Amino acid sequence: MSYKNIDTTCVQGGYTPGNGEPRQIPIVQSTTFKYATSEDMGKLFDLEAEGYFYTRLQNPTNDYVAKKICELEGGTAAMLTSSGQAASFFSIFNIAGAGDHIVASSAIYGGTYNLFAVTMKRMGIDFTFVSPNASEEELQAAFRPNTKALFGETIANPALVVLDIERFANVAHKNGVPLIIDNTFATPVTCRPFEWGADIVIHSTTKYIDGHGASVGGCIVDSGKFDWTKYPDKFPGLCTPDESYHGVTYTERFGLAGAYITKATAQLMRDFGCIQSPQHAFYLNLGLESLHLRMQRHCENGLAVAQYLKNHPKVAWVRYSGLEGDECYDLGKKYLKYGGCGVVSFGVKGGRAAAEAFMKNLKIAAIETHVADARTCCLHPASATHRQMNDEELAAAGISPDLVRFSCGIEAAEDLISDIENALAEV
Ligand SMILES: *Cc1c(COP(=O)(O)O)cnc(C)c1O
């Protein structure tokens, strides 16, 4: 069933119980599933029938929740993963291997940068990082004949740069590759990247979607719009028989709507096993049920805090796309329902030491690596999540040494502002 308003989909999507069935999504806490004959089960293994046989590949609870996120994003197929990192990895490894090349925005999550620049590079996949502000010509210059995808974040964590998704999609499509968007900070409530030309969306559901700091998870959604069959030489894994799966050709058997996610399930989940537990998927759905309400409050608090900081004499600069005068204000207006998210970044006058002194004196906002949570939290990336990067790499990712990432929760804005006010008074 599909609903006209995304608010209704947050509450009702993905699962419609039949007569006498549980109202809430059932947690199918079972690794395995029973069949009457070997033949019945064989059909599942051959991907000839739909059904469940082993939770490492698929589980009904996970599928209900993936379906809800799929509906929220307006996609054709989706899968949950054990984490956002697994989602990022699968989204690329599903269509690229040793000898291939990917172009990615340099303004991305630190963990994603490390996955790409270090770990996946060791697997033989080369990455070129480009500025999120790169012109079409500059983006074009980064492409090679073996480029397989373009990757970026809707709102970069922690740089808070809003990506011009349409511009990135244009260049990707001119080069016959999909645009993969990490939509973690925006969520489908504030931006639906498929409407702007993105082909694949991924999430760290650990952040706003779960929203309560309760469970680590990820999700991949396919728009079903990218035509792999136009480029069979570029995407042989989708367009030619998979010998590891009884010779199935994913695009032929599952069409554009299902090929990408089926391949990621049948091959990558089978081999890497980054499955989310059904219990976590259940928690994730509880978060989804209030996502639309929470995002509105997160964004209201983000704007109120940004406006307060902007006028504070001890604050050197503020970054928030919803704030008039911000360099991403126009992009925020175009792509984001509320102009920004709950995360504000700013610099405390006095640099690194002043930032640390400020954070120590906060009472409500907790120092955490976490972000995008119902409870306000904050982080100094240069000494925590991004400490692997040298100053040049930090600058390319849009992070200065004095940057404080302040993630507004869903408390009252007035209390958050007085917490900030008191802490700044101690600096
Ligand atoms: C946290 C985060 C990730 C990684 O997700 P995990 O669930 O922690 O593995 C990826 N992208 C963005 C934008 C994030 O904020």
Side-chain angles (χ1 to χ4, degrees), residues 229-274:
T229 63
K230 271 167 92 179
Y231 315 98
D233 297 339
K234 209 177 270 190
F235 303 107
L238 284 157
C239 303
T240 55
D242 175 4
E243 294 314 329
S244 82
Y245 233 107
H246 319 292
V248 58
T249 299
Y250 293 101
T251 44
E252 271 174 21
R253 181 82 70 82
F254 302 100
L256 297 183
Y260 178 89
I261 293 293
T262 307
K263 177 178 182 289
T265 303
Q267 286 181 346
L268 302 184
M269 228 19 131
R270 176 195 63 191
D271 295 349
F272 291 99
C274 309

Short mmCIF file of all heavy atoms in Angstrom, two decimals, residues 229-274:
data_model
loop_
_atom_site.label_atom_id
_atom_site.label_comp_id
_atom_site.label_asym_id
_atom_site.label_seq_id
_atom_site.Cartn_x
_atom_site.Cartn_y
_atom_site.Cartn_z
N THR A 229 21.68 -2.00 -18.43
CA THR A 229 21.79 -2.78 -19.67
C THR A 229 22.29 -1.92 -20.84
O THR A 229 22.67 -2.46 -21.87
CB THR A 229 20.44 -3.42 -20.06
OG1 THR A 229 19.48 -2.37 -20.30
CG2 THR A 229 19.90 -4.30 -18.94
N LYS A 230 22.28 -0.59 -20.65
CA LYS A 230 22.87 0.27 -21.69
C LYS A 230 24.39 0.20 -21.68
O LYS A 230 25.05 0.62 -22.64
CB LYS A 230 22.44 1.73 -21.46
CG LYS A 230 21.13 2.09 -22.15
CD LYS A 230 20.59 3.39 -21.67
CE LYS A 230 21.02 4.61 -22.47
NZ LYS A 230 20.38 5.83 -21.87
N TYR A 231 24.95 -0.27 -20.56
CA TYR A 231 26.41 -0.31 -20.41
C TYR A 231 26.85 -1.70 -19.93
O TYR A 231 27.46 -1.83 -18.86
CB TYR A 231 26.88 0.76 -19.42
CG TYR A 231 26.22 2.10 -19.64
CD1 TYR A 231 25.12 2.49 -18.86
CD2 TYR A 231 26.68 2.97 -20.62
CE1 TYR A 231 24.50 3.71 -19.06
CE2 TYR A 231 26.06 4.19 -20.84
CZ TYR A 231 24.97 4.55 -20.05
OH TYR A 231 24.36 5.76 -20.25
N PRO A 232 26.54 -2.75 -20.71
CA PRO A 232 26.82 -4.11 -20.23
C PRO A 232 28.31 -4.37 -19.99
O PRO A 232 28.65 -5.16 -19.10
CB PRO A 232 26.28 -5.01 -21.36
CG PRO A 232 26.17 -4.12 -22.55
CD PRO A 232 25.92 -2.75 -22.04
N ASP A 233 29.17 -3.67 -20.73
CA ASP A 233 30.62 -3.88 -20.53
C ASP A 233 31.09 -3.25 -19.23
O ASP A 233 32.05 -3.70 -18.61
CB ASP A 233 31.43 -3.27 -21.68
CG ASP A 233 31.10 -3.96 -22.99
OD1 ASP A 233 30.59 -5.10 -22.94
OD2 ASP A 233 31.32 -3.34 -24.05
N LYS A 234 30.39 -2.18 -18.83
CA LYS A 234 30.78 -1.47 -17.62
C LYS A 234 30.26 -2.19 -16.37
O LYS A 234 30.89 -2.15 -15.32
CB LYS A 234 30.20 -0.05 -17.68
CG LYS A 234 31.01 0.97 -16.94
CD LYS A 234 30.42 2.36 -17.11
CE LYS A 234 31.03 3.04 -18.32
NZ LYS A 234 30.66 4.46 -18.37
N PHE A 235 29.10 -2.82 -16.50
CA PHE A 235 28.49 -3.46 -15.33
C PHE A 235 28.21 -4.95 -15.61
O PHE A 235 27.06 -5.39 -15.58
CB PHE A 235 27.20 -2.73 -14.95
CG PHE A 235 27.43 -1.26 -14.67
CD1 PHE A 235 27.00 -0.29 -15.57
CD2 PHE A 235 28.10 -0.86 -13.52
CE1 PHE A 235 27.24 1.06 -15.32
CE2 PHE A 235 28.34 0.49 -13.27
CZ PHE A 235 27.91 1.45 -14.17
N PRO A 236 29.28 -5.71 -15.89
CA PRO A 236 29.08 -7.13 -16.24
C PRO A 236 28.42 -7.92 -15.10
O PRO A 236 27.69 -8.87 -15.36
CB PRO A 236 30.51 -7.63 -16.53
CG PRO A 236 31.41 -6.68 -15.80
CD PRO A 236 30.70 -5.34 -15.84
N GLY A 237 28.66 -7.50 -13.87
CA GLY A 237 28.09 -8.24 -12.73
C GLY A 237 26.57 -8.22 -12.73
O GLY A 237 25.93 -9.13 -12.20
N LEU A 238 25.99 -7.19 -13.33
CA LEU A 238 24.53 -7.10 -13.38
C LEU A 238 23.97 -7.60 -14.70
O LEU A 238 22.80 -7.98 -14.78
CB LEU A 238 24.09 -5.64 -13.16
CG LEU A 238 24.18 -5.16 -11.71
CD1 LEU A 238 24.29 -3.64 -11.64
CD2 LEU A 238 22.97 -5.63 -10.92
N CYS A 239 24.80 -7.56 -15.75
CA CYS A 239 24.30 -7.80 -17.12
C CYS A 239 24.74 -9.12 -17.73
O CYS A 239 24.34 -9.43 -18.86
CB CYS A 239 24.72 -6.65 -18.03
SG CYS A 239 24.15 -5.04 -17.46
N THR A 240 25.59 -9.89 -17.03
CA THR A 240 26.01 -11.19 -17.56
C THR A 240 25.79 -12.25 -16.47
O THR A 240 25.65 -11.90 -15.30
CB THR A 240 27.50 -11.17 -18.00
OG1 THR A 240 28.28 -10.74 -16.89
CG2 THR A 240 27.73 -10.24 -19.18
N PRO A 241 25.76 -13.53 -16.87
CA PRO A 241 25.42 -14.58 -15.89
C PRO A 241 26.36 -14.61 -14.69
O PRO A 241 27.58 -14.47 -14.84
CB PRO A 241 25.53 -15.87 -16.70
CG PRO A 241 25.29 -15.45 -18.11
CD PRO A 241 25.88 -14.07 -18.24
N ASP A 242 25.78 -14.79 -13.49
CA ASP A 242 26.55 -14.92 -12.26
C ASP A 242 26.78 -16.41 -12.03
O ASP A 242 25.86 -17.14 -11.64
CB ASP A 242 25.75 -14.30 -11.11
CG ASP A 242 26.44 -14.51 -9.75
OD1 ASP A 242 27.56 -15.07 -9.73
OD2 ASP A 242 25.84 -14.12 -8.73
N GLU A 243 28.02 -16.84 -12.28
CA GLU A 243 28.33 -18.27 -12.16
C GLU A 243 28.24 -18.72 -10.70
O GLU A 243 28.02 -19.89 -10.43
CB GLU A 243 29.71 -18.59 -12.75
CG GLU A 243 29.81 -18.37 -14.28
CD GLU A 243 28.63 -18.95 -15.06
OE1 GLU A 243 28.05 -19.97 -14.63
OE2 GLU A 243 28.27 -18.36 -16.11
N SER A 244 28.38 -17.78 -9.77
CA SER A 244 28.29 -18.17 -8.36
C SER A 244 26.82 -18.29 -7.93
O SER A 244 26.53 -18.61 -6.80
CB SER A 244 29.03 -17.16 -7.47
OG SER A 244 28.22 -16.03 -7.20
N TYR A 245 25.91 -17.96 -8.84
CA TYR A 245 24.49 -18.10 -8.52
C TYR A 245 23.73 -18.76 -9.67
O TYR A 245 22.77 -18.23 -10.20
CB TYR A 245 23.86 -16.74 -8.12
CG TYR A 245 23.15 -16.86 -6.78
CD1 TYR A 245 23.69 -16.30 -5.64
CD2 TYR A 245 21.97 -17.59 -6.68
CE1 TYR A 245 23.06 -16.45 -4.42
CE2 TYR A 245 21.35 -17.75 -5.47
CZ TYR A 245 21.90 -17.18 -4.33
OH TYR A 245 21.29 -17.36 -3.12
N HIS A 246 24.22 -19.93 -10.04
CA HIS A 246 23.51 -20.78 -11.01
C HIS A 246 23.26 -20.05 -12.33
O HIS A 246 22.24 -20.26 -12.97
CB HIS A 246 22.19 -21.29 -10.44
CG HIS A 246 22.30 -21.70 -9.01
ND1 HIS A 246 23.03 -22.79 -8.61
CD2 HIS A 246 21.81 -21.14 -7.88
CE1 HIS A 246 22.97 -22.89 -7.29
NE2 HIS A 246 22.25 -21.90 -6.83
N GLY A 247 24.18 -19.14 -12.69
CA GLY A 247 24.10 -18.51 -13.99
C GLY A 247 22.99 -17.49 -14.15
O GLY A 247 22.61 -17.14 -15.28
N VAL A 248 22.47 -16.95 -13.06
CA VAL A 248 21.41 -15.96 -13.18
C VAL A 248 22.00 -14.63 -13.69
O VAL A 248 23.10 -14.23 -13.30
CB VAL A 248 20.67 -15.76 -11.84
CG1 VAL A 248 21.61 -15.34 -10.74
CG2 VAL A 248 19.54 -14.74 -11.95
N THR A 249 21.28 -13.99 -14.64
CA THR A 249 21.65 -12.64 -15.05
C THR A 249 20.65 -11.70 -14.37
O THR A 249 19.46 -11.72 -14.68
CB THR A 249 21.57 -12.50 -16.59
OG1 THR A 249 22.50 -13.42 -17.16
CG2 THR A 249 21.93 -11.08 -17.04
N TYR A 250 21.16 -10.88 -13.45
CA TYR A 250 20.27 -10.13 -12.55
C TYR A 250 19.32 -9.18 -13.31
O TYR A 250 18.15 -9.08 -12.99
CB TYR A 250 21.08 -9.38 -11.50
CG TYR A 250 21.77 -10.34 -10.55
CD1 TYR A 250 23.12 -10.64 -10.70
CD2 TYR A 250 21.07 -10.98 -9.55
CE1 TYR A 250 23.76 -11.54 -9.86
CE2 TYR A 250 21.68 -11.89 -8.70
CZ TYR A 250 23.03 -12.17 -8.85
OH TYR A 250 23.64 -13.08 -8.03
N THR A 251 19.85 -8.48 -14.32
CA THR A 251 18.98 -7.52 -15.01
C THR A 251 17.88 -8.23 -15.80
O THR A 251 16.78 -7.71 -15.93
CB THR A 251 19.78 -6.62 -15.97
OG1 THR A 251 20.69 -7.44 -16.70
CG2 THR A 251 20.54 -5.54 -15.23
N GLU A 252 18.20 -9.43 -16.33
CA GLU A 252 17.19 -10.16 -17.09
C GLU A 252 16.12 -10.71 -16.17
O GLU A 252 14.92 -10.60 -16.44
CB GLU A 252 17.84 -11.34 -17.83
CG GLU A 252 18.35 -10.94 -19.20
CD GLU A 252 19.12 -12.08 -19.85
OE1 GLU A 252 18.94 -13.26 -19.47
OE2 GLU A 252 19.92 -11.75 -20.75
N ARG A 253 16.54 -11.32 -15.07
CA ARG A 253 15.60 -12.00 -14.20
C ARG A 253 14.78 -11.02 -13.34
O ARG A 253 13.60 -11.22 -13.10
CB ARG A 253 16.34 -12.98 -13.29
CG ARG A 253 15.46 -13.79 -12.34
CD ARG A 253 14.81 -15.00 -13.02
NE ARG A 253 15.79 -16.02 -13.31
CZ ARG A 253 16.23 -16.91 -12.40
NH1 ARG A 253 15.75 -16.91 -11.19
NH2 ARG A 253 17.13 -17.79 -12.73
N PHE A 254 15.43 -9.94 -12.89
CA PHE A 254 14.75 -9.07 -11.92
C PHE A 254 14.45 -7.66 -12.44
O PHE A 254 13.88 -6.85 -11.72
CB PHE A 254 15.57 -9.00 -10.62
CG PHE A 254 15.78 -10.36 -10.02
CD1 PHE A 254 16.98 -11.03 -10.21
CD2 PHE A 254 14.76 -10.99 -9.32
CE1 PHE A 254 17.16 -12.30 -9.69
CE2 PHE A 254 14.94 -12.26 -8.80
CZ PHE A 254 16.14 -12.92 -8.99
N GLY A 255 14.83 -7.40 -13.68
CA GLY A 255 14.54 -6.10 -14.27
C GLY A 255 15.34 -4.99 -13.60
O GLY A 255 16.08 -5.22 -12.63
N LEU A 256 15.16 -3.77 -14.11
CA LEU A 256 15.90 -2.64 -13.51
C LEU A 256 15.44 -2.39 -12.09
O LEU A 256 16.20 -1.92 -11.25
CB LEU A 256 15.72 -1.38 -14.36
CG LEU A 256 16.26 -1.45 -15.79
CD1 LEU A 256 16.09 -0.10 -16.48
CD2 LEU A 256 17.72 -1.90 -15.83
N ALA A 257 14.18 -2.72 -11.80
CA ALA A 257 13.62 -2.45 -10.47
C ALA A 257 14.31 -3.28 -9.39
O ALA A 257 14.45 -2.82 -8.25
CB ALA A 257 12.12 -2.72 -10.47
N GLY A 258 14.72 -4.51 -9.73
CA GLY A 258 15.20 -5.40 -8.68
C GLY A 258 16.63 -5.89 -8.80
O GLY A 258 17.16 -6.48 -7.87
N ALA A 259 17.27 -5.66 -9.96
CA ALA A 259 18.58 -6.28 -10.23
C ALA A 259 19.64 -5.91 -9.18
O ALA A 259 20.31 -6.79 -8.62
CB ALA A 259 19.06 -5.89 -11.63
N TYR A 260 19.77 -4.64 -8.92
CA TYR A 260 20.87 -4.16 -8.07
C TYR A 260 20.76 -4.71 -6.64
O TYR A 260 21.73 -5.22 -6.07
CB TYR A 260 20.87 -2.63 -8.09
CG TYR A 260 21.90 -1.96 -7.24
CD1 TYR A 260 23.16 -1.66 -7.74
CD2 TYR A 260 21.61 -1.59 -5.92
CE1 TYR A 260 24.12 -1.04 -6.96
CE2 TYR A 260 22.55 -0.95 -5.14
CZ TYR A 260 23.80 -0.68 -5.66
OH TYR A 260 24.73 -0.05 -4.88
N ILE A 261 19.56 -4.61 -6.05
CA ILE A 261 19.39 -5.06 -4.66
C ILE A 261 19.43 -6.59 -4.57
O ILE A 261 19.99 -7.16 -3.63
CB ILE A 261 18.08 -4.50 -4.05
CG1 ILE A 261 18.17 -2.96 -3.91
CG2 ILE A 261 17.75 -5.14 -2.71
CD1 ILE A 261 19.19 -2.45 -2.88
N THR A 262 18.89 -7.27 -5.59
CA THR A 262 18.94 -8.74 -5.57
C THR A 262 20.40 -9.21 -5.63
O THR A 262 20.80 -10.11 -4.89
CB THR A 262 18.15 -9.35 -6.74
OG1 THR A 262 16.83 -8.82 -6.71
CG2 THR A 262 18.09 -10.86 -6.63
N LYS A 263 21.18 -8.58 -6.49
CA LYS A 263 22.60 -8.96 -6.58
C LYS A 263 23.31 -8.69 -5.25
O LYS A 263 24.08 -9.53 -4.77
CB LYS A 263 23.29 -8.19 -7.71
CG LYS A 263 24.78 -8.48 -7.82
CD LYS A 263 25.40 -7.72 -8.98
CE LYS A 263 26.88 -8.03 -9.12
NZ LYS A 263 27.71 -7.45 -8.06
N ALA A 264 23.04 -7.54 -4.66
CA ALA A 264 23.71 -7.21 -3.39
C ALA A 264 23.31 -8.20 -2.29
O ALA A 264 24.13 -8.54 -1.44
CB ALA A 264 23.35 -5.79 -2.97
N THR A 265 22.08 -8.67 -2.33
CA THR A 265 21.62 -9.66 -1.34
C THR A 265 22.23 -11.02 -1.63
O THR A 265 22.82 -11.66 -0.75
CB THR A 265 20.08 -9.77 -1.38
OG1 THR A 265 19.52 -8.48 -1.14
CG2 THR A 265 19.57 -10.74 -0.31
N ALA A 266 22.09 -11.46 -2.89
CA ALA A 266 22.50 -12.82 -3.25
C ALA A 266 24.01 -13.00 -3.17
O ALA A 266 24.49 -14.07 -2.78
CB ALA A 266 21.99 -13.16 -4.65
N GLN A 267 24.77 -11.98 -3.54
CA GLN A 267 26.23 -12.13 -3.53
C GLN A 267 26.87 -11.54 -2.27
O GLN A 267 27.59 -12.22 -1.56
CB GLN A 267 26.86 -11.39 -4.72
CG GLN A 267 26.67 -12.06 -6.05
CD GLN A 267 27.35 -11.26 -7.16
OE1 GLN A 267 27.74 -10.10 -6.99
NE2 GLN A 267 27.49 -11.88 -8.31
N LEU A 268 26.61 -10.25 -2.04
CA LEU A 268 27.38 -9.57 -0.99
C LEU A 268 26.92 -9.99 0.40
O LEU A 268 27.74 -10.23 1.28
CB LEU A 268 27.32 -8.05 -1.17
CG LEU A 268 27.83 -7.53 -2.52
CD1 LEU A 268 27.80 -6.00 -2.56
CD2 LEU A 268 29.23 -8.03 -2.81
N MET A 269 25.61 -10.07 0.61
CA MET A 269 25.14 -10.51 1.92
C MET A 269 25.54 -11.96 2.15
O MET A 269 25.96 -12.33 3.24
CB MET A 269 23.63 -10.35 1.99
CG MET A 269 23.05 -9.66 3.19
SD MET A 269 24.07 -8.66 4.22
CE MET A 269 23.07 -7.20 4.34
N ARG A 270 25.42 -12.77 1.10
CA ARG A 270 25.82 -14.18 1.23
C ARG A 270 27.29 -14.28 1.66
O ARG A 270 27.63 -15.03 2.55
CB ARG A 270 25.63 -14.88 -0.12
CG ARG A 270 26.10 -16.33 -0.13
CD ARG A 270 26.24 -16.87 -1.55
NE ARG A 270 27.25 -16.14 -2.31
CZ ARG A 270 27.44 -16.26 -3.62
NH1 ARG A 270 26.68 -17.06 -4.32
NH2 ARG A 270 28.40 -15.57 -4.23
N ASP A 271 28.15 -13.46 1.00
CA ASP A 271 29.59 -13.63 1.22
C ASP A 271 30.14 -12.82 2.39
O ASP A 271 31.08 -13.23 3.05
CB ASP A 271 30.35 -13.28 -0.05
CG ASP A 271 30.01 -14.25 -1.19
OD1 ASP A 271 29.38 -15.30 -0.92
OD2 ASP A 271 30.39 -13.97 -2.33
N PHE A 272 29.59 -11.62 2.63
CA PHE A 272 30.13 -10.78 3.71
C PHE A 272 29.27 -10.85 4.98
O PHE A 272 29.77 -10.59 6.07
CB PHE A 272 30.24 -9.33 3.26
CG PHE A 272 31.30 -9.11 2.22
CD1 PHE A 272 30.97 -9.03 0.87
CD2 PHE A 272 32.64 -9.01 2.59
CE1 PHE A 272 31.96 -8.83 -0.08
CE2 PHE A 272 33.62 -8.81 1.63
CZ PHE A 272 33.28 -8.73 0.29
N GLY A 273 27.99 -11.15 4.81
CA GLY A 273 27.13 -11.37 5.98
C GLY A 273 26.90 -10.17 6.88
O GLY A 273 26.76 -10.31 8.08
N CYS A 274 26.85 -8.97 6.29
CA CYS A 274 26.64 -7.77 7.12
C CYS A 274 25.15 -7.55 7.37
O CYS A 274 24.62 -6.47 7.10
CB CYS A 274 27.23 -6.55 6.45
SG CYS A 274 28.91 -6.77 5.92
#
